[in-house]
Amino acid sequence: RGIMDTSRRNHMIKVALGALCSFLIPGLGQFFYGKWAWAALWLVLAICAGPVINIAAAAHVVFIGVD
């Protein structure tokens, strides 16, 4: 195992943690990545639209994490 393996594993853990956070509380994963405006938007959408937004917010964190 090299440094690249550890770095990639840490990145994947960060993405998974962010997605889990956003699944539990929409916007929390975006906040974790420092995307304040996205975090506020997902939180407002969750309040207006209900729990179905949790899945979309978690998917968005995965998209952010790939960048």
Side-chain angles (χ1 to χ4, degrees):
R1 294 190 176 223
I3 294 172
M4 286 294 278
D5 292 337
T6 302
S7 174
R8 181 161 171 76
R9 184 175 53 236
N10 288 343
H11 177 72
M12 291 180 74
I13 289 171
K14 184 178 178 182
V15 170
L17 182 60
L20 179 63
C21 288
S22 261
F23 183 75
L24 297 174
I25 302 172
L28 189 58
Q30 286 80 1
F31 183 79
F32 180 69
Y33 271 99
K35 307 290 185 180
W36 312 100
W38 279 112
L41 176 70
W42 283 113
L43 185 59
V44 169
L45 284 173
I47 291 169
C48 295
V52 72
I53 295 300
N54 295 34
I55 296 168
H60 182 246
V61 171
V62 172
F63 179 74
I64 289 172
V66 171
D67 290 343

